[in-house]
Amino acid sequence: DPTIGVNPNPANVINLSFATDTPLFGGGCAANDMVALAIADARARNVSVVVSAGNNSGGDVQYPANCAGTIAAGAAEQDGQLATYTAKGAGTGFVTLHAPGNSNGLYVGASNTGTSSPNSNGSTAFLFAGTSFSAPMVAGAISLLRAVRPSLTPSQIDSLLRNSARPYPANASNSTNLVGARLDCTPTSCGVGLLNVLGAVQAARVLSNPLPVANVQQSAVVASNGPFELDAALSTNSAGGGANLTFSWQQVFGNPVALAGTSTSALQVQSGMAGNIAEFALTVTDATTNRSNTSVVRLANTSVNERTFTPSSAGGGGTSTGGSGTGTSAPAPVATSSGGGGGGGVLGLAGLLGMLMLFGVWRQRPGVA
């Protein structure tokens, strides 16, 4: 959508706290499934996808956690045994591990009865359990990994979580033998193990040769035409330092503005912001490792409605000069798309019917979310 532009603050991890037995009328998760295509597209954009494994009391990991590329989050008790309600099991293309989700003592959560904003007297506390609450714990662990190593890829994160997971204790499975005793867990029957946040973070700290980090300042709302400075001096090389970095700025959205310093850490937006929303991509390259990384920052003028703004069609071509010189960058409006194949245009009536059916076949035990 050219009126949206490049998201300057894209998600690094997506959490989906829902599960169902089947996607629409089928079983499993086919490669051309609508959700599977969306997950593949997210991973192609360097985003991890965590999904609740499901609350089917020892059954196989449910949809869409069984789609390729996901991290399926099941639930475990404080002693490491699987919660009686949780799904489990291995599969092709996704990682299953179990995070806290106590079904006995439950957890205390906070809520507010406001629908669009908090009610001043609408706060309440409640008890809950379920893989819906185990999944955000895994997503939170991934956010810590990205804080330690912002350049981590989803595949690297999968490996960190898998290799650092604590082994299941003896008799951890929620399946039982003929005399009612719990069975042992195996990587096939249960998953890779129990979520180990500290172990994963420590492993991330010692990874070698990561990508550099393009550390741009936070997107901002501005009140004038310019000038403005976008400072990326806190960008780091692959080793975490500031040496041997090269910088390259480019306007990727909005009406063209006058720029200077496009090859330095500080971009000068000299003018052109009145009635405009502009986005600027910074690519930093570590000259030692020859590895690069990119981030985007947005400036929005106070006089513009961000939801309805459409860039001028006069863009395209244009030049910008680096160093201390001045110049004009005139990009065409950018609409990005990658991966996912033929997903566009499908989510119409079929998509709505699919969502209705998804909720209709949702299996859930009483008291478990």
Side-chain angles (χ1 to χ4, degrees):
D1 186 342
T3 66
I4 295 176
V6 179
N7 184 353
N9 301 294
N12 299 131
V13 56
I14 295 173
N15 183 86
L16 302 177
S17 284
F18 63 88
T20 184
D21 281 336
T22 58
L24 303 182
F25 297 107
C29 182
N32 63 350
D33 178 274
M34 188 186 309
V35 176
L37 294 174
I39 292 170
D41 187 47
R43 284 182 66 93
R45 296 168 189 265
N46 211 32
V47 178
S48 296
V49 182
V50 182
V51 189
S52 297
N55 305 325
N56 60 5
S57 303
D60 292 338
V61 171
Q62 294 179 281
Y63 174 86
N66 58 10
C67 291
T70 68
I71 299 171
E77 309 280 358
Q78 288 96 329
D79 59 5
Q81 289 191 331
L82 301 192
T84 55
Y85 58 78
T86 189
K88 61 183 182 179
T92 302
F94 64 88
V95 177
T96 304
L97 76 165
H98 289 81
N102 183 9
S103 61
N104 294 322
L106 305 178
Y107 289 102
V108 178
S111 181
N112 189 281
T113 57
T115 56
S116 59
S117 60
N119 287 338
S120 58
N121 296 316
S123 297
T124 184
F126 61 97
L127 299 176
F128 57 78
T131 58
S132 286
F133 304 99
S134 302
M137 296 190 184
V138 178
I142 294 174
S143 74
L144 294 177
L145 295 177
R146 293 294 296 260
V148 171
R149 292 286 190 186
S151 60
L152 285 174
T153 67
S155 294
Q156 288 177 309
I157 289 171
D158 292 350
S159 296
L160 287 168
L161 293 175
R162 179 187 296 108
N163 295 335
S164 65
R166 294 182 180 276
Y168 298 105
N171 306 318
S173 176
N174 53 7
S175 296
T176 58
N177 59 20
L178 294 177
V179 296
R182 282 181 175 248
L183 301 177
D184 288 337
C185 272
T186 68
T188 300
S189 65
C190 293
V192 300
L194 303 172
L195 175 67
N196 180 5
V197 179
L198 180 59
V201 170
Q202 290 174 333
R205 289 186 183 279
V206 299
L207 285 178
S208 60
N209 198 29
L211 293 173
V213 176
N215 193 338
V216 298
Q217 66 191 62
Q218 186 174 357
S219 297
V221 176
V222 297
S224 67
N225 192 50
F228 306 101
E229 181 179 278
L230 301 179
D231 185 8
L234 294 180
S235 299
T236 55
N237 57 30
S238 297
N244 301 318
L245 279 178
T246 62
F247 300 84
S248 176
W249 292 90
Q250 180 184 11
Q251 185 180 355
V252 292
F253 179 74
N255 297 328
V257 302
L259 298 177
T262 56
S263 61
T264 70
S265 63
L267 177 69
Q268 307 296 322
V269 181
Q270 297 181 316
S271 63
M273 283 306 304
N276 192 15
I277 295 177
E279 294 171 354
F280 309 93
L282 168 66
T283 299
V284 296
T285 301
D286 186 335
T288 301
T289 62
N290 198 31
R291 306 193 77 190
S292 299
N293 212 344
T294 300
S295 290
V296 177
V297 61
R298 165 180 285 206
L299 295 182
N301 192 267
T302 54
S303 65
V304 180
N305 185 333
E306 292 194 57
R307 297 180 64 182
T308 59
F309 173 78
T310 302
S312 168
S313 60
T319 61
S320 61
T321 60
S324 59
T326 62
T328 300
S329 175
V334 175
T336 60
S337 175
S338 65
V346 176
L347 189 58
L349 178 61
L352 293 174
L353 291 174
M355 289 301 296
L356 290 173
M357 293 202 59
L358 179 135
F359 286 112
V361 298
W362 190 337
R363 286 181 54 190
Q364 178 172 298
R365 293 183 60 198
V368 178

